[in-house]
Amino acid sequence: MHKWNNMPKRVTVNSFYMDETEVRNVDYREYLYWLKRVFADMPEVHDRALPDTLVWRRPLAYNEPMVENYFRHPAYSEYPVVGVNWLQASDYANWRTDRVNEMILV
């Protein structure tokens, strides 16, 4: 028979918000535009937030159009953003939370 070596217990999670859909390229480009405008005197802030477009490169595969066009081309505006690491995603989530709360306060 199976061992019962874990005890059932109640676990709680702090409240959090989640968007309805994934983050699109156009949403992330809006965030980058905001960073460029607000931190005009510190361009490294904007450069650190840029997604890694080289995630499409694979050995023995021809994905150069995706490397060059996926994030910036208007045809891919509604596609999910890729190449964002955990820190960039966390910064974006904090920015998005601030913008949503700003709209609520207005």
Side-chain angles (χ1 to χ4, degrees), residues 19 21-32 51 70-71 76-82 84 92 95-96:
D19 270 349
T21 61
E22 60 272 331
V23 177
R24 303 171 300 169
N25 284 327
V26 69
D27 299 329
Y28 202 78
R29 283 196 308 259
E30 179 184 352
Y31 166 62
L32 290 175
Y70 184 78
F71 182 64
Y76 296 105
S77 288
E78 300 297 319
Y79 285 63
V81 68
V82 297
V84 177
Y92 174 81
W95 173 81
R96 174 86 171 117

Side-chain angles (χ1 to χ4, degrees), residues 8-9 14 21 23 26 36 38 40 42 49 54 61 65-66 70 77 83:
K9 61 182 178 180
N14 291 336
T21 61
V23 177
V26 69
K36 187 180 261 188
V38 171
M42 296 187 307
L54 300 179
M66 297 299 274
Y70 184 78
S77 288

Side-chain angles (χ1 to χ4, degrees), residues 33-102:
Y33 176 73
W34 183 87
L35 284 177
K36 187 180 261 188
R37 233 185 36 225
V38 171
F39 297 102
D41 55 339
M42 296 187 307
E44 64 274 2
V45 173
H46 175 268
D47 295 343
R48 250 184 306 155
L50 287 172
D52 180 19
T53 58
L54 300 179
V55 295
W56 295 106
R57 283 209 176 133
R58 296 281 184 252
L60 302 175
Y62 178 70
N63 288 331
E64 288 306 309
M66 297 299 274
V67 170
E68 296 170 7
N69 297 327
Y70 184 78
F71 182 64
R72 289 173 181 81
H73 196 276
Y76 296 105
S77 288
E78 300 297 319
Y79 285 63
V81 68
V82 297
V84 177
N85 64 29
W86 187 87
L87 291 174
Q88 291 168 329
S90 178
D91 289 343
Y92 174 81
N94 290 334
W95 173 81
R96 174 86 171 117
T97 301
D98 290 344
R99 298 298 75 77
V100 169
N101 289 337
E102 230 173 42

Side-chain angles (χ1 to χ4, degrees), residues 3-22:
K3 291 184 182 179
W4 186 266
N5 58 4
N6 57 352
M7 301 299 292
K9 61 182 178 180
R10 183 180 301 252
V11 177
T12 60
V13 177
N14 291 336
S15 63
F16 61 93
Y17 294 102
M18 187 180 340
D19 270 349
E20 281 185 298
T21 61
E22 60 272 331

